[in-house]
Amino acid sequence: MTSTRAVGAALTSLVLAGTATLAGCSAQGTTGTAGESDGVTVLASFYPLQYVAQQIGGDLVTVDNLTPPAAEPHDLELSPAQVREVGTADLVVYLSGFQNAVDEAVEARAPEHVVDAADAAELVEHAEEEGHEGETEEEHAEHADEHGATDPHFWLDPSRLAAVGQAVADELAATDPEHADEYAAGALRLGQRLDELDQEMADGLAACQGATLVTSHTAFGYLADRYALEQVGITELDPEVEPSPARLREIGDLVEERGVKTLYSETLVSPKVTETLASDLGVDTAVLDPLEGLSEEATAAGDDYVSVMQANLAALEEGLVCE
Ligand SMILES: [Zn+2]
């Protein structure tokens, strides 16, 4: 544990150094191949993809993120300058079906080198078994249509993020063949870190198998799958959707039946609904970070994907009903 943290801190400072040098030149864009001075420009559509590109590319790349720090990425809108950047970056890393504006920009600008994380992550559906209260089959089908059938939040399973890392390394090598060995080594290094994290989480949650994880929006389906938890979302995949009174009653019944002792709210989404429900039910709340963004404060404090996942693990061990 201690050694993992130390390595994490060292890598984080590397990333920070990289970010600082990049800020000045990222807006100019480049003409396709990597220049000597500013390296390969990578445009990631939200934080976990930015993290992967930075870890793999290191000093060879400058990574921009289309989603501002601490913004909620689901309903991202792009400025005209950002749309242009999609066309001028050497490599664009995004997740199709997650952010409409990015999908449209990629289609319109047709960047030469693109990684669609959806391909490597092997997205699956995490539909609520019972659908919405009082919803007809037809309404349910429409609903699934609006939100996309698959669950986008793959990065909360470290093994799936590692698979995307490999795809990013391969495309970086295609973009900048001179440094293919470095990118392959970066993917290997990242894969090992994510593997360690995965093992740490599996060990930590081994005693909690089958526990009910009540979250605010259903971002944690892949994490629940990986570590044998059962996720129940108070709202839907989209955090902007308000839960109905019927849904809140349903959650209340389930909390009582199963002896759930903690409702989890999330960073980037107002905890109000979760807190009100928890106080009605007489249970605790705790915070999970779905890692859809990372605040500037968190970055400055040296946090990154791995350390935030470790904090999530601690919150789960504390709040779930485990043996
Ligand atoms: Zn989400």
Side-chain angles (χ1 to χ4, degrees):
M1 191 99 119
T2 315
S3 65
T4 310
R5 290 252 160 78
V7 171
L11 282 172
T12 304
S13 54
L14 255 175
V15 171
L16 285 175
T19 312
T21 45
L22 281 190
C25 51
S26 56
Q28 298 165 7
T30 58
T31 50
T33 46
E36 286 295 307
S37 54
D38 58 354
V40 175
T41 57
V42 180
L43 190 57
S45 69
F46 64 106
Y47 174 70
L49 302 179
Q50 175 194 8
Y51 170 78
V52 161
Q54 284 171 332
Q55 293 297 310
I56 291 171
D59 291 342
L60 297 170
V61 302
T62 60
V63 185
D64 261 357
N65 183 353
L66 285 171
T67 306
E72 200 280 308
H74 281 266
D75 302 308
L76 179 73
E77 288 179 20
L78 297 179
S79 69
Q82 285 181 308
V83 173
R84 277 196 300 278
E85 202 182 349
V86 169
T88 55
D90 295 321
L91 170 63
V92 174
V93 184
Y94 80 119
L95 174 63
S96 63
F98 182 48
Q99 297 167 292
N100 272 336
V102 179
D103 290 359
E104 285 166 15
V106 167
E107 186 160 353
R109 297 283 159 164
E112 192 185 341
H113 294 284
V114 182
V115 172
D116 178 358
D119 295 334
E122 295 181 16
L123 300 185
V124 298
E125 292 184 35
H126 286 126
E128 297 276 329
E129 315 97 56
E130 68 272 52
H132 299 268
E133 184 97 344
E135 195 177 52
T136 66
E137 287 271 315
E138 202 172 306
E139 278 166 348
H140 183 71
E142 260 173 45
H143 210 103
D145 231 34
E146 275 167 36
H147 292 280
T150 54
D151 177 358
H153 306 90
F154 73 87
W155 57 91
L156 291 158
D157 171 351
S159 68
R160 288 178 196 264
L161 190 60
V164 170
Q166 191 56 57
V168 169
D170 292 346
E171 199 58 32
L172 275 170
T175 309
D176 176 23
E178 240 178 86
H179 297 109
D181 289 350
E182 281 100 320
Y183 298 131
L188 197 64
R189 211 168 43 234
L190 176 65
Q192 282 165 351
R193 285 187 78 198
L194 294 176
D195 205 44
E196 280 171 24
L197 172 67
D198 181 38
Q199 196 55 55
E200 194 181 331
M201 296 189 68
D203 292 346
L205 296 172
C208 314
Q209 287 191 14
T212 301
L213 168 61
V214 181
T215 59
S216 48
H217 94 292
T218 48
F220 297 89
Y222 291 97
L223 185 152
D225 279 359
R226 184 74 178 166
Y227 307 111
L229 308 174
E230 190 185 334
Q231 175 183 239
V232 176
I234 298 172
T235 69
E236 302 302 313
L237 280 175
D238 187 332
E240 303 299 314
V241 178
E242 287 269 327
S244 66
R247 181 65 182 157
L248 292 175
R249 275 197 303 279
E250 233 171 58
I251 301 283
D253 291 347
L254 187 142
V255 162
E256 269 168 37
E257 270 165 38
R258 301 189 187 178
V260 170
K261 55 178 190 166
T262 309
L263 306 187
Y264 289 95
S265 64
E266 291 166 22
T267 51
L268 303 190
V269 177
S270 164
K272 204 157 175 260
V273 169
T274 307
E275 280 170 0
T276 306
L277 183 59
S279 92
D280 287 353
L281 297 170
V283 297
D284 293 333
T285 58
V287 178
L288 289 177
D289 190 333
L291 275 156
E292 297 191 341
L294 193 68
S295 70
E296 276 163 341
E297 294 78 22
T299 306
D303 275 320
D304 67 0
Y305 172 84
V306 171
S307 69
V308 173
M309 286 297 275
Q310 286 168 331
N312 282 341
L313 171 60
L316 291 169
E317 288 179 292
E318 171 81 22
L320 290 176
V321 177
C322 307
E323 277 161 26

